[in-house]
Structure formats: structure tokens, C-alpha cells
């Protein structure tokens, strides 16, 4: 049996029967046709906002069974107490902080098996400058000593 261009209506129980002069045999199988999640609204690849701004980004998907949309932050958690993910896949972050910068992934999941992913890079800036997620500051002082004064250059 070959099915081409299967549709949801093709789901069901199928039986294969065979017989010849030696006897009869049969086997049953269940066919479940699903539609893997596909994004109808994908988040932008990059979002840049100023510190203390509110952020709202949509992410929506269709599929059968209907997918659940979730958000995750790479190497961290969503801002605690300042973020919310709605049932329709929209993420909101209030009072954005520089440390909120990073890679966020929207996942559409159907039946815990079929998944689609979309990635967004969030950059939160302060004072018009982009702050990297991790940075080091080195301060070098050169001190000269003289009997009457200290000079720092």
C-alpha cells in the first residue's frame, strides 16, 4: 500500500490481508497524519532597544496537533519578574537591562515530538552605546615618585 499526498483524513487503522492455498494472514497498523509546526509569525533576527524600554515580540505557529510556543534565553533564564510569555507566543520584557542582551529562541512544539525553532538576538544599549554580554575593563596607572610630590599620569 502506498499513499501519496496524505491528508489528515487518511489517518486511521489499516489492515493488510494475504491469503493463498497454504492459509491466511493479516496485520494491523495505525496511521496518524500530522502537520509539523510552521511559523506564521517569526521573531526578527535582531532587536536593539535602549535600556529601560519595554519589549514585545510575537512568535506564532500552526500545526496539527496545534503547537505550543515557548521562549528560552541561551545561557540564562528569561528576566525574572520582568518578563511574560503569552499563550499566543508573544514575549514581553519590561524595563530592559543590559544583562537581558543575548540569544532568545522561540520554539513551536507539537505533541512534544515535532519542533520548529526561530532565533532572535536581543541587544540592550545604554546611552547610545552597545554593551557586549561579557566584558573586561583594565586600568593601568603609571605613578612617578619625587620627594616633593606625587604625579599620576
Amino acid at each position: 500500500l502506498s499513499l501519496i499526498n496524505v491528508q489528515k483524513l487518511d489517518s486511521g487503522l489499516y489492515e493488510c490481508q494475504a491469503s493463498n492455498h497454504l492459509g491466511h494472514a493479516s496485520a494491523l497498523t495505525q496511521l496518524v497524519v500530522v502537520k509539523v509546526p510552521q511559523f506564521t509569525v517569526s521573531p526578527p533576527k535582531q532587536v536593539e532597544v535602549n535600556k529601560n524600554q519595554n519589549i514585545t515580540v510575537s512568535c506564532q505557529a500552526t500545526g496539527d496537533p496545534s503547537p505550543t510556543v515557548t521562549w528560552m534565553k541561551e545561557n540564562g533564564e528569561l528576566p525574572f519578574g520582568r518578563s511574560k510569555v503569552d499563550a499566543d507566543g508573544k514575549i514581553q520584557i519590561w524595563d530592559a537591562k543590559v544583562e537581558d542582551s543575548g540569544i532568545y529562541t522561540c520554539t513551536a512544539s507539537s505533541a512534544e515530538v515535532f519542533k520548529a525553532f526561530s532565533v532572535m538576538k536581543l541587544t540592550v544599549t545604554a546611552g547610545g552605546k552597545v554593551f557586549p554580554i561579557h566584558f573586561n575593563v583594565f586600568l593601568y596607572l603609571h605613578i612617578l615618585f619625587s620627594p616633593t610630590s606625587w604625579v599620576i599620569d
Side-chain angles (χ1 to χ4, degrees):
L1 174 66
S2 293
L3 299 174
I4 300 171
N5 296 324
V6 294
Q7 298 178 8
K8 186 72 173 170
L9 295 173
D10 295 320
S11 294
L13 192 61
Y14 286 79
E15 182 178 17
C16 176
Q17 297 179 349
S19 62
N20 62 19
H21 67 282
L22 296 176
H24 174 81
S26 67
L28 293 173
T29 189
Q30 177 77 31
L31 174 65
V32 178
V33 179
V34 299
K35 182 178 178 192
V36 296
Q38 290 186 312
F39 290 107
T40 55
V41 177
S42 294
K45 299 292 180 207
Q46 293 189 339
V47 173
E48 187 172 319
V49 298
N50 291 321
K51 183 178 170 188
N52 300 322
Q53 278 189 304
N54 296 334
I55 304 160
T56 301
V57 178
S58 292
C59 184
Q60 297 175 350
T62 61
D64 189 8
S66 185
T68 301
V69 175
T70 58
W71 283 87
M72 297 182 326
K73 182 181 180 197
E74 187 175 85
N75 299 323
E77 298 200 14
L78 297 178
F80 182 76
R82 296 183 298 106
S83 64
K84 173 182 158 185
V85 178
D86 293 335
D88 67 355
K90 179 173 45 181
I91 187 172
Q92 296 176 334
I93 300 173
W94 300 279
D95 191 26
K97 309 285 184 211
V98 172
E99 57 267 22
D100 296 335
S101 296
I103 304 298
Y104 289 75
T105 302
C106 173
T107 304
S109 176
S110 290
E112 298 296 322
V113 176
F114 308 103
K115 296 183 180 188
F117 304 90
S118 188
V119 176
M120 173 187 79
K121 179 182 180 184
L122 173 64
T123 305
V124 179
T125 62
K129 293 191 171 198
V130 175
F131 286 86
I133 297 169
H134 301 285
F135 59 95
N136 294 318
V137 176
F138 297 97
L139 178 63
Y140 295 98
L141 293 178
H142 183 85
I143 301 174
L144 299 174
F145 175 77
S146 70
T148 58
S149 64
W150 287 91
V151 177
I152 300 175
D153 65 352

